[in-house]
Amino acid sequence: MAVGTWFATEFDEPAAPRGLPALFASGADSEVLVADRMARGVAILGRVQGVSGAVVLKVRTGGRAVRVRVDLHVDGASQTAWSRVAAPTRGVRELPRLVMVRAQGTDRVAALIRRQHGRLRMVEAHAWVEFDLGAEEIGADELLIVEVAEATLPAWASPSLSALAAVGVRINQVEVTALDDVDPPGTSGRVTGQAAQHTGLASAGGLVGARGRGEGPARTGFVVVNADATSVRCRLRVTTASVAPSAIRDPRRAWMRRGKAQTVLKAVRVAQRGAGYALFEASPFTGPPRPEQLRVRAANLVDGGDCRVAVTTDDAETLDVVVTRTTPGPVLIGVDEPDATAMRRRVCEVVCRVVELEWS
């Protein structure tokens, strides 16, 4: 029995599948059959409302292998939805989100998303991910199940990444294309950092702009690599940035939800971000770290196991990180400064930008 028959009643008319190439960009489309723990949108597919969320799409592949491309997005409403569920304590900072994208119940790729903190406001962030599905993975029921959930984090990365990371994340659109119509996946290659993030091979905090095509400044000390290869070389440029502001806290009292109170809270948050930037620029503790002061680690996000890492340096700001793994799955690379003083940790944090990605 096909899986799709489980959802049918005698009052339902079967939804017609969408042919290839297919672009799903609205939760109101009839081909979006189910939204599980996800609020449907009109101009987007939906927003995750729980620890994970999934959409079920009706698509006809004609027995062909397909490539699926997903646009994930974190905005102010994402953080507000997160604060209602996570209930952060006072002073907790907004941390990077690491989410796993699954299809047909299997972990496929991961994405690291963090909003850019400007002087006056937080800038939205997109993360693009891509993965391929074999001809037999979408069966006769013609259902594609895309899920956003938390990843299995290694112990050394958990304190620096957001808990309940999937809550509030938007799925803007899902694009499904026949694999015959796109470039076949290569067993080796080399691309620039921005190109790697736009194609989903790497994720370093997200892209900016209305369509998520601009890179923006570095904003996190982590990088996710989705390249399917046993050996990956990631060239990173390491610097420092001001620490993220405190996370938005959902008001617990009725009077705090009123318009005037919300205006005051917004003004306070803007002042805090401006003060943080001023302290970062004026402090003598915010210089870029030296390579010998840095620690680089890597882990597989499917099972949480550590990967072998080799690091070389060409100059004071660039690291060549070579990660070797034995099991498939996305890899998390983390760069930190373990011996940083308490004052330095208060005003700045280590961040890195992907300059080049090579896999073989």
Side-chain angles (χ1 to χ4, degrees):
M1 178 184 295
V3 175
T5 59
W6 299 347
F7 303 104
T9 71
E10 60 181 341
F11 302 103
D12 293 327
E13 295 183 1
R18 187 170 295 184
L20 299 181
L23 177 64
F24 300 90
S26 174
D29 293 343
S30 60
E31 296 89 350
V32 183
L33 301 185
V34 178
D36 181 22
R37 287 184 291 186
M38 182 171 296
R40 293 176 183 253
V42 176
I44 63 173
L45 269 180
R47 187 186 299 276
V48 179
Q49 298 297 303
V51 295
S52 64
V55 289
V56 180
L57 311 174
K58 188 77 168 178
V59 57
R60 174 171 291 140
T61 63
R64 292 178 291 175
V66 296
R67 175 165 297 174
V68 182
R69 180 172 170 84
V70 184
D71 177 15
L72 303 175
H73 187 183
V74 170
D75 56 8
S78 302
Q79 192 62 24
T80 301
W82 179 87
S83 69
R84 296 193 188 102
V85 177
T89 57
R90 188 179 303 276
V92 172
R93 299 191 180 278
E94 183 173 335
L95 298 175
R97 296 167 179 256
L98 179 58
V99 296
M100 180 70 71
V101 179
R102 300 171 179 160
Q104 315 304 78
T106 303
D107 293 340
R108 305 290 177 171
V109 290
L112 183 68
I113 319 174
R114 186 180 196 179
R115 296 195 296 166
Q116 174 190 342
H117 43 95
R119 293 178 183 272
L120 300 180
R121 65 186 181 90
M122 301 293 287
V123 181
E124 302 174 2
H126 294 252
W128 294 92
V129 293
E130 289 184 355
F131 54 89
D132 297 337
L133 296 179
E136 71 286 351
E137 295 192 75
I138 299 180
D141 51 19
E142 300 178 324
L143 294 182
L144 170 62
I145 305 173
V146 178
E147 181 182 6
V148 178
E150 290 188 271
T152 302
L153 298 179
W156 52 265
S158 296
S160 302
L161 295 172
S162 176
L164 304 175
V167 177
V169 174
R170 286 171 41 171
I171 301 181
N172 284 353
Q173 64 182 40
V174 175
E175 183 179 357
V176 186
T177 310
L179 205 56
D180 299 336
D181 300 334
V182 297
D183 295 332
T187 57
S188 62
R190 179 188 296 178
V191 293
T192 63
Q194 184 170 351
Q197 295 182 75
H198 191 255
T199 57
L201 290 172
S203 182
L207 301 174
V208 298
R211 297 187 178 183
R213 297 183 180 275
E215 189 169 11
R219 68 198 78 165
T220 175
F222 295 95
V223 175
V224 171
V225 178
N226 292 309
D228 189 13
T230 56
S231 178
V232 175
R233 184 183 69 86
C234 195
R235 190 174 180 84
L236 304 176
R237 180 169 292 117
V238 182
T239 183
T240 56
S242 62
V243 296
S246 299
I248 298 174
R249 300 175 69 239
D250 187 47
R252 300 302 175 187
R253 299 182 181 180
W255 66 271
M256 291 293 289
R257 299 189 182 97
R258 297 173 183 172
K260 291 184 178 179
Q262 288 295 306
T263 301
V264 173
L265 289 176
K266 290 179 181 178
V268 170
R269 286 195 290 267
V270 170
Q272 287 176 338
R273 283 194 288 269
Y277 255 100
L279 182 61
F280 171 77
E281 294 177 349
S283 174
F285 301 98
T286 58
R290 294 192 298 270
E292 63 272 13
Q293 297 174 325
L294 298 174
R295 177 176 55 187
V296 182
R297 291 176 285 188
N300 191 306
L301 292 175
V302 175
D303 55 17
D306 289 338
C307 300
R308 183 180 300 175
V309 179
V311 182
T312 58
T313 59
D314 291 339
D315 53 55
E317 297 182 354
T318 306
L319 301 178
D320 267 342
V321 181
V322 178
V323 179
T324 305
R325 57 183 174 177
T326 56
T327 57
V331 171
L332 174 67
I333 301 174
V335 181
D336 68 341
E337 190 178 6
D339 298 328
T341 62
M343 178 58 70
R344 181 175 173 87
R345 293 180 184 275
R346 289 186 60 184
V347 297
C348 72
E349 57 185 352
V350 174
V351 295
C352 57
R353 179 194 297 275
V354 182
V355 178
E356 186 179 72
L357 180 68
E358 183 179 2
W359 66 98
S360 59

